[in-house]
Amino acid sequence: MQSKSLDGLFQELLENEPIFKNKEVLRHSYTPDSLVHRDVQINSLASILVSALRGDTPSNILIYGKTGTGKTAVTRNVGIELERKGESLGISCKVVYLNCEVIDTQYRLLANLTRQFGEDVPMTGWPTDQVFFKFKETIDTEKQVVIIILDEIDKLIKKGDDVLYNLSRINTDLKNSKVSMIGVSNDLKFTEFLDPRVKSSLGEEEIIFPPYDADQISDILNERALIAYKPDALDEMVIPLCAAFAAQEHGDARRALDLLRVAGEIAERENLSRVEEQHVKGAQEKIEVDRVVEVVRTLPTQSKLALYSVMLLRNNGYKNVTTGEVYNVYRQLCLQVDMDILTQRRVTDLMSELDMLGIVNAVVVSKGRYGRTKEIVLSVPINSTKKVLFEDYRLKPLESFKPVLTTQLHL
């Protein structure tokens, strides 16, 4: 009986008129054919890589910029065009793209690179030197220029920069092929952790991607909306609102595209043929809650206990909470679930980390002759955050815990 009613439900949903023509163009994985407001960066990158079409080794490049500023899209786009042009000129240019958030070890990186050239290397088990030798041997079988794009390169460096050192010196061992690297990062400071020799060879050229402003984001959204949505599916305020929200988030075009897509999904679920302003606001709320939920879920247990301490104080009428009050409740929670009690200084550090993640807002205030303290305000919705905290089996026993409060209310 259940399957029949579900079948009927799917049938009914399928009969609803969709408002999307092609939703995929609003996803991060989509690489558009043209990129607006990135001509300067495209020209810089192309002028460095053109030497590959002459059979020479292009300089290594580091590309910086915050999330959603078009770094990956531009790099992939220029890479595709370079391969295409190479083919028409009879020059072998191979552009390989790897995301270091997924391929985050030296071994995996080298094994993956070797596999891209048709050699079967096991994903574990060989000595790293052997994989590196295999990669060199594989690419050197023909005359070609290989360009390796390492997206989120900073994630790789956290586990050591040996592989970058080896790759930056690979050309001295090659007879036929030439290798050049492009590192892409959101972190302007990551090169501080590099070996100076790697830093100088990897950063031969640097390209910076500035954030988009609201007008530029509107242009990007208008271009994608033409392909993604059916005609007249968007209210005239939808794109400006998505752009305004994203411009507040440091000019993040990805965030704008997410808003435009999720707003459409919300309208579609309501069986409406048009996306309105309220759907964008609903999308903004949903994306924010999803982001917070994901961040809270991955916090270490001690940080979760510190966060729950703030929430308990908030539930008990405290509006602005001091670190001393948080520490008092935190100690009670640790005793309750048999966790090690950290020092007050360490818990203050945890609060600073939560502040950086945007989960709380911690402001240093002066208490006159009593010194300075931090006042902490929650920046996340209490109910959904609490739900995520109690998914952690170690915090589950605290669901009905009532702390003993000894200080005055800070209303």
Side-chain angles (χ1 to χ4, degrees):
M1 191 66 199
Q2 178 67 39
S3 61
K4 192 176 178 191
S5 62
L6 263 177
D7 179 68
L9 175 64
F10 281 128
Q11 190 54 43
E12 196 181 308
L13 289 167
L14 276 173
E15 282 162 12
N16 290 348
E17 193 59 39
I19 51 180
F20 289 104
K21 266 194 307 186
N22 180 1
K23 200 195 290 188
E24 294 311 302
V25 303
L26 299 175
R27 297 198 183 276
H28 305 170
S29 53
Y30 176 76
T31 304
D33 293 333
S34 66
L35 290 149
V36 290
H37 302 298
R38 282 297 174 246
D39 292 349
V40 172
Q41 289 75 20
I42 290 168
N43 291 343
S44 300
L45 190 54
S47 63
I48 298 165
L49 295 180
V50 70
S51 51
L53 298 173
R54 301 187 186 108
D56 300 327
T57 316
S59 297
N60 293 326
I61 308 164
L62 280 179
I63 291 176
Y64 300 106
K66 289 187 171 168
T67 305
T69 50
K71 304 180 303 296
T72 304
V74 164
T75 312
R76 295 191 82 155
N77 198 290
V78 173
I80 290 164
E81 284 306 314
L82 186 76
E83 281 189 341
R84 207 175 280 162
K85 188 68 180 167
E87 220 169 279
S88 72
L89 295 171
I91 302 277
S92 182
C93 281
K94 172 84 171 157
V95 180
V96 180
Y97 172 86
L98 298 174
N99 188 323
C100 301
E101 189 165 35
V102 183
I103 302 158
D104 62 348
T105 66
Q106 179 162 242
Y107 187 99
R108 272 193 215 157
L109 184 84
L110 292 169
N112 214 292
L113 281 171
T114 313
R115 284 169 159 228
Q116 299 251 11
F117 289 88
E119 279 296 324
D120 198 20
V121 175
M123 286 319 271
T124 54
W126 283 14
T128 307
D129 290 353
Q130 188 184 344
V131 189
F132 188 53
F133 180 78
K134 189 71 177 168
F135 173 61
K136 285 192 289 192
E137 190 183 59
T138 305
I139 60 170
D140 215 24
T141 52
E142 61 171 286
K143 207 172 170 56
Q144 61 179 334
V145 179
V146 177
I147 292 160
I148 302 166
I149 301 169
L150 299 174
D151 204 352
E152 306 210 40
I153 190 172
D154 44 292
K155 304 286 194 298
L156 181 71
I157 286 157
K158 285 178 182 164
K159 304 203 174 172
D161 59 8
D162 294 0
V163 69
L164 294 178
Y165 179 76
N166 292 332
L167 285 171
S168 68
R169 289 187 167 34
I170 194 172
N171 289 315
T172 53
D173 299 336
L174 300 172
K175 290 187 176 68
N176 299 312
S177 62
K178 288 161 181 160
V179 173
S180 141
M181 283 188 290
I182 301 175
V184 182
S185 175
N186 302 330
D187 182 1
L188 283 160
K189 293 182 178 166
F190 89 93
T191 54
E192 290 171 10
F193 306 104
L194 285 175
D195 178 303
R197 293 167 300 176
V198 177
K199 189 176 176 177
S200 63
S201 64
L202 192 61
E204 289 169 333
E205 298 274 359
E206 291 188 350
I207 301 174
I208 308 286
F209 279 63
Y212 294 109
D213 62 31
D215 289 342
Q216 291 174 329
I217 292 174
S218 286
D219 291 344
I220 293 165
L221 295 182
N222 276 312
E223 203 170 73
R224 298 277 185 106
L226 285 173
I227 317 167
Y229 281 100
K230 289 188 171 177
D232 298 324
L234 300 180
D235 178 81
E236 61 180 20
M237 282 311 295
V238 166
I239 284 177
L241 194 56
C242 288
F245 279 144
Q248 290 166 9
E249 297 277 332
H250 319 296
D252 184 344
R254 285 187 179 191
R255 177 64 171 246
L257 290 165
D258 284 342
L259 283 168
L260 190 56
R261 176 177 51 81
V262 175
E265 288 169 351
I266 292 170
E268 215 168 41
R269 263 178 235 136
E270 292 174 9
N271 199 11
L272 298 170
S273 58
R274 198 169 162 81
V275 186
E276 306 280 350
E277 226 175 299
Q278 77 261 20
H279 299 127
V280 179
K281 289 174 182 164
Q284 167 81 339
E285 222 166 273
K286 183 180 187 305
I287 289 168
E288 193 47 44
V289 168
D290 289 352
R291 184 193 73 83
V292 167
V293 161
E294 215 31 65
V295 172
V296 172
R297 188 171 280 135
T298 55
L299 286 174
T301 306
Q302 290 284 4
S303 298
K304 286 179 180 171
L305 288 168
L307 175 59
Y308 190 43
S309 306
V310 179
M311 291 169 73
L312 283 171
L313 286 158
R314 185 77 184 82
N315 274 353
N316 280 277
Y318 287 69
K319 207 170 184 181
N320 298 341
V321 183
T322 66
T323 40
E325 291 156 356
V326 171
Y327 191 65
N328 168 36
V329 176
Y330 160 81
R331 288 188 55 181
Q332 294 176 48
L333 294 177
C334 288
L335 291 167
Q336 195 72 15
V337 289
D338 202 19
M339 290 285 291
D340 291 340
I341 299 173
L342 302 178
T343 63
Q344 184 159 350
R345 178 180 280 272
R346 183 69 193 106
V347 172
T348 303
D349 289 345
L350 292 181
M351 296 315 301
S352 298
E353 286 166 22
L354 292 174
D355 185 16
M356 275 167 56
L357 291 166
I359 293 170
V360 300
N361 186 15
V363 185
V364 177
V365 291
S366 172
K367 295 282 182 188
R369 61 199 177 96
Y370 298 106
R372 292 147 72 83
T373 184
K374 268 189 180 166
E375 281 194 350
I376 296 144
V377 184
L378 270 180
S379 308
V380 293
I382 284 195
N383 291 338
S384 50
T385 309
K386 202 183 278 185
K387 207 168 151 192
V388 178
L389 287 176
F390 293 138
E391 284 174 12
D392 187 330
Y393 72 93
R394 287 158 296 197
L395 270 72
K396 194 83 177 127
L398 299 170
E399 261 184 295
S400 53
F401 178 72
K402 299 268 189 297
V404 177
L405 302 170
T406 53
T407 51
Q408 295 294 308
L409 283 186
H410 286 261
L411 296 172

